[in-house]
Amino acid sequence: MKMPFQPASLRQFILLSFFLALIPLAVQLWQSNSALSDVSRFAVAEAESSVSSVKLTENMQNVVVDIERAVRQYSILRTEALSRLASTHLHNYQQMLSGVCQTLNAALLCEEQQRQVAVLLQIYPNSGIEDLAPLLLKIRQSQVQLTEYTWDQLEQRLQIQQNYVVDAQNQLAWQSIVLVIL
């Protein structure tokens, strides 16, 4: 004999309703955790990139000072050791400049600085300080511009990161509203 359909007890309805109400909450928790993980990964990557760019740029400023000192000393004393030292500083600077130029979007500034350093590398052994002083000044000024550009890029990236966080917050707010209505 077939049993007629029997309605569930009140306790079963309450438990079923409770579990159904937990589904949107679980979805919201999962989405919040996912958004927080994304924001954290983005922030860590940006922080690492920013720190390395600033460190490299600051090191480059120190190398420019070393270049200027070594070239000036060589132009006065003309020793082989000072020539090697100046060449080493110039080659190190070129390598650093290549690394910075790959990460920055400053092709014109980088090309000009690379050209100036290449010219200095060629002419310093046979030139006096009077001839080299304007070129050394240009290299120093270009390095200052490169450093300022790096800081500007850092500020732009920070603004992008802030916008990313605000967008993630807005998305979570809208999802919360939709899930509450659901």
Side-chain angles (χ1 to χ4, degrees), residues 78-93:
R78 302 274 181 197
T79 66
E80 183 62 33
L82 287 174
S83 177
R84 281 193 310 270
L85 181 64
S87 292
T88 301
H89 287 317
L90 285 163
H91 288 296
N92 288 342
Y93 184 80

Side-chain angles (χ1 to χ4, degrees), residues 156-169:
Q156 289 176 1
R157 289 166 66 176
L158 183 60
Q159 185 62 44
I160 290 169
Q161 185 176 4
Q162 289 172 344
N163 292 341
Y164 183 77
V165 170
V166 167
D167 289 344
Q169 288 174 333

Side-chain angles (χ1 to χ4, degrees), residues 53-68:
S53 293
V54 168
K55 244 179 72 167
L56 186 56
T57 305
E58 293 298 322
N59 287 341
M60 288 174 67
Q61 280 192 321
N62 294 334
V63 173
V64 166
V65 171
D66 292 341
I67 289 170
E68 191 169 357

Side-chain angles (χ1 to χ4, degrees), residues 22-39 41 168 171-172 175-176 179:
L22 283 179
I23 291 173
L25 179 61
V27 168
Q28 182 64 31
L29 284 173
W30 177 75
Q31 289 175 338
S32 296
N33 185 41
S34 176
L36 181 61
S37 295
D38 290 346
V39 167
R41 278 192 299 275
Q171 182 181 6
L172 285 175
Q175 288 173 350
S176 297
L179 288 174

Side-chain angles (χ1 to χ4, degrees), residues 118-164:
V119 167
L120 180 61
L121 189 58
Q122 289 176 354
I123 68 168
Y124 89 88
N126 302 319
S127 300
I129 195 60
E130 304 82 27
D131 299 328
L132 297 174
L135 184 56
L136 290 170
L137 178 63
K138 284 181 186 177
I139 290 172
R140 191 173 348 115
Q141 289 172 340
S142 293
Q143 180 57 44
V144 168
Q145 288 176 338
L146 193 61
T147 302
E148 289 173 357
Y149 184 81
T150 301
W151 282 105
D152 290 343
Q153 290 292 310
L154 182 63
E155 289 176 14
Q156 289 176 1
R157 289 166 66 176
L158 183 60
Q159 185 62 44
I160 290 169
Q161 185 176 4
Q162 289 172 344
N163 292 341
Y164 183 77

